[in-house]
Amino acid sequence: MNCCQPTDPDNKYPSRIAIDGPAASGKSTIAELLADYLKYLYFDTGVMYRAVTLEGLRRFGSVENEEIITQLAEDILIDVLPPSKNDGRKFDVLVNGEDVTQELRTARVNQFVSLVSAYPGVRTAMTVHQRNISKRGKVVMVGRDIGTVVIPDADLKIYLEASLEERARRRYQEEIGAGRAVRYEEVLSSLRGRDEKDSSRLYAPLKPADDAIIIDTEHLSIAEVFEKVKNLLNLSSRI
Ligand code: CDP
């Protein structure tokens, strides 16, 4: 589906690309394909909120204390590096030097990550890192608030959406494919909970930027969504 040649030798394509949307809307898959196609950096900002949540749970057994978790977010060293293992991971995530990649997607992290990501101080700390990375350009950044808060002047903003049921079906297949025993109803209710918390928080809620292009992926295959995204690239190219 994606080509192996660098496709942008003349720097004609948008340099900072923001992809936002709710859980399991296909953001990561499309962003990864796009980054591969353009030879850009793929950066999934969700792993940063997951890393703070995991570390909070490990150190304190709970993430309810906003002050303590905000301090943790300010002190913690999160690194995202090329994959060191061939176990399906797209990158390694290190917290203070320790590889925590496999622990980031547990049910417990899923349960608490939206609470942690609603703390304004946590968001401020994460946003500083994300902006610094975006300044280098040639990046496809994925999250909930990339087009609205992190890179409001991004060169291309895409917002992917699909119904809760369709997204739950996709995430269920993904989990089963990764060998994790889950039930569809559990996945559905976990996504519903995160959607509600992510959309209703006061600071940087999940929503499309006014100038984002919204793609409804409900009845589209990954290849079809990617085709649409490539058309958008051409429409916003500078040559
Ligand atoms: O992969 P999935 O879409 O399920 O989630 P994720 O992108 O790993 O994000 C996990 C959680 O982090 C989300 O439910 C949000 O609460 C939070 N998040 C956020 O608030 N802002 C971002 N830019 C990225 C993630």
Side-chain angles (χ1 to χ4, degrees), residues 180-206:
R180 288 187 281 264
V182 290
R183 288 190 312 118
Y184 172 80
E185 289 69 26
E186 281 166 7
V187 176
L188 184 80
S189 101
S190 161
L191 290 194
R192 181 185 290 120
R194 278 207 284 142
D195 276 4
E196 281 168 10
K197 290 195 191 87
D198 292 346
S199 311
S200 63
R201 68 184 173 222
L202 285 178
Y203 195 69
L206 164 68

Side-chain angles (χ1 to χ4, degrees), residues 132-153:
N132 282 337
I133 289 166
S134 80
K135 280 187 193 138
R136 298 182 211 142
K138 296 209 167 197
V139 62
V140 182
M141 200 172 275
V142 179
R144 302 288 188 289
D145 60 338
I146 309 304
T148 50
V149 174
V150 179
I151 334 177
D153 58 343

Side-chain angles (χ1 to χ4, degrees), residues 82-102:
S84 64
K85 291 196 181 109
N86 197 7
D87 59 0
R89 65 178 64 190
K90 312 294 184 220
F91 37 68
D92 285 3
V93 181
L94 271 56
V95 168
N96 296 330
E98 184 196 347
D99 182 352
V100 297
T101 318
Q102 292 300 3

Side-chain angles (χ1 to χ4, degrees), residues 156-181:
L156 175 62
K157 299 181 188 178
I158 296 171
Y159 188 91
L160 300 183
E161 60 185 16
S163 69
L164 172 66
E165 291 72 21
E166 171 60 17
R167 291 185 286 113
R169 197 189 58 74
R170 293 176 190 170
R171 182 54 50 90
Y172 172 75
Q173 301 288 357
E174 203 179 313
E175 296 286 311
I176 296 292
R180 288 187 281 264

Side-chain angles (χ1 to χ4, degrees), residues 22-24 27 44-47 49-50 105 113-114 117 123 142-146 171 194 198 201:
K27 303 177 304 278
D44 174 3
T45 61
V47 299
Y49 295 95
R50 287 177 180 274
R105 297 210 157 257
V113 66
S114 291
S117 71
R123 299 206 72 82
V142 179
R144 302 288 188 289
D145 60 338
I146 309 304
R171 182 54 50 90
R194 278 207 284 142
D198 292 346
R201 68 184 173 222

